Structures are given as C-alpha cells and as structure tokens.
Amino acid sequence: MKEALERRLSILRQRLSDSGIDALLIMDPLNRVYISGFRGSAGDLLVTADGAWLLTDFRYVEAATGEAPCFEVLRCGPKPEEKPFLDHVRDILSSRNINRLSFEAAAVTYKQYETLKTACEGVELQPSEGIVEGLRVVKDEGEISLIRKAVALAEEAYKATLPLVKPGVSEREIALELEILMRRKGAEGAAFDFIVAAGERGALPHGLASDRLIREGDMVVLDFGARYQGYHSDMTRTVFVGGATERQQTVYEVVLRAQEAALDRVRPGVTGAEVDAAARDIIEAAGYGANFGHGTGHGVGLNIHEGPRLSRTGSEEELQAGMVVTVEPGIYIPGWGGVRIEDTVLVTSGGCEVLCRTGKGLTII
Ligand code: GLY
Ligand code: MN
Ligand code: MN
C-alpha cells in the first residue's frame, strides 16, 4: 500500500508542477483518502513540491499517522498544545515563501473560501478542478482487487437473497436482506441505498425499496452493490416472478442486447459517448428511445459515481485500460414497469472484463 501511495503522491506532484501550482489544498474527502490513505471522517491535505501535510484533529492523529505514511500529520485545534487549521496552512506557506495556493473549487464552500482568504492574506487563491479526480479514473492493481471483492460480496448476497423475491415479501425486506448478507460476508456497508422496484415501480429508474409487496407476474429491478475498504461495486438484475409475458420478454431482450452491444464496444481509445451510442442505437431501433433517459454508465471506485461518464454528452474522454465503469442501459415505461441490466466492468488492453459473474438470461423465480 505504501508504494501505491508514494506513486500517487509523486504523480500528483508532477501534475501540480505541469499546471504551475505551488501548493494544493485537498479538502475533498475521497481525494484525501486516495492521495494519503487516511480514511477518517475529518482531515485535509496540503501538498507542495517538497512537503505533504495531513491536518486533522485530536481524534484522528494516531489513525492518520498509521494510515498515511507519506504525510506529516499535524494536529489542529484551539487548545494551547494545538494550532488552528488555518494557522498551520498560513505558516507552512509563509515558511516556504509560497504566495499562491490552489484549492479544489468543487470541495470548498463559499464560507470556507472566505475564511481561507482572510487567514491567508497576501496569498493568491487559485481554484482548481479535477486534479486528483483525473488520477483516480485509472485504477491500480490494489484498487482493482478491492473492487473485485466488492463485486463478489454483492453477488454472493444477491444469490442468497433471490429466493426471497416472491409474492408477499416487501421490496424493503429484500433490500434489507441483501444488505445484511453483504455485511455479514465482510462488506463495510451498502454501496448506496438499494433499488428494489417491483411491477409498475420498475419504471422509476431510481425507485428506492418501498413497502410494496411483490406480486405474481411482477418484473423486479434490483440495483445493489457493496462497499469494501472504501471501494464500491454496482450491479442491476431484473427478474420475473412466476413467469414473463411476451411484452416483458421483448423489453428484457432489447435491454440485454443493448447491454451486450455496449460491453462489446468497451475498449481503450473508445469514448464514453461511443459506448453510450452502442446501447442507445439498439434501444432506439426497437422503438424505446424515449424510455431510456439516463446515461449508459459511469466510473466506480472510491465513489459510487465518478469519472468517466458513459453518456451522450460530455463523454468525449477516451477509455483507458484500468478504468472501472458500469454498463447499465434500461427501458422504463410509466405505469407498466422497467428493465435495467448493469454490470461493473474493468477496461483491459484488449476490451473489457465483466467483473459481475451473475448470469443475465431471463430469470423466472
Ligand atoms: N445505483 C445507481 C446506479 O446504478 O448508478
Ligand atoms: Mn446501480
Ligand atoms: Mn450504476
């Protein structure tokens, strides 16, 4: 782990130097975890060409010292033996004659910005965007193995929960069982609030599990994932209770074809928009274009939704080996129901490896 953290810090420093940044304040919690390794709930980083500091409070000094081997841990606070966060930042900058400080525009509130400006009078504040996020999109071996584990935990729980998808059981009960089983097997928690959407509720792309009871003839969308050592998995399966009508089968087959076409398209050098088009073309050709209103996928890692985006707009970025993305087309028909099929996949040099092993054939329970 130490080697990976050293590598990340050194790549970050290279980026800072390429961008003319003398000092970067990292206040986004996930960026802080990625760069330092420290996973506590409070802590910020300051990185310069020759120094790296982790600023936290009394509660986390010991944990941070253990988890963040490349950082000098500084205790912040109002007590005599401590120094307030902003005083630490100001003193570090002035001791190095640094008069420009870059901060993460998306992570700093207006109030924090104002306080920073007052405390660091004479220092030019430069907003920056996507510096650490840009490094996070390509995963290293350690991250990939944690995501694999998060996928395996979700799949084991899903397999064991499927028999519960039967008439009379509520969506909420199914979601709860999925989460309990994942956690029992070692997950830190659910990757997000699970979606269990039966029958007409399947038309809500993000229909959180409710008290609705499963009924004979329902199509049920289950969207779930696990979090393991900070890393997420994300998958969706749509199953049928007691049987599948012709229309249900038709819609399911269109979504499955779209998903497989998109998976076939995933490889280095292809843009997110091209992967999206592979799925969307099939759904549009089948006459359901208006029923597929979201993007085809997103990156997964320390965050459940992160770069790169696989969607029509804003996805001109090319995929690279080591990215982990979801592929998740769907069709949603108000008042009738919906189908989504989602896998978490690893972009490899020759295409992609689908990390989810659970079959996608028509599943009737
Ligand atoms: N679980 C939300 C999504 O699939 O993106
Ligand atoms: Mn999902
Ligand atoms: Mn997803």
Side-chain angles (χ1 to χ4, degrees), residues 94 120 258 311:
S94 74
C120 299
S311 63

Side-chain angles (χ1 to χ4, degrees), residues 173-230:
E173 190 62 34
I174 294 165
L176 179 64
E177 186 69 8
L178 264 172
E179 182 170 345
I180 289 172
L181 291 181
M182 270 176 213
R183 296 186 74 144
R184 192 164 282 142
K185 288 168 197 293
E188 286 167 347
F192 49 90
D193 288 340
F194 295 161
I195 293 160
V196 179
E200 74 294 338
R201 293 193 75 256
L204 306 169
H206 275 193
L208 295 181
S210 75
D211 288 327
R212 184 190 183 291
L213 302 182
I214 304 294
R215 297 197 286 264
E216 193 75 12
D218 275 346
M219 220 164 42
V220 186
V221 179
L222 299 111
D223 185 346
F224 53 95
R227 193 177 75 247
Y228 183 73
Q229 291 185 27

Side-chain angles (χ1 to χ4, degrees), residues 234 298 326 328 342:
D234 189 8
H298 54 87
T326 67
E328 52 176 306
E342 172 180 30

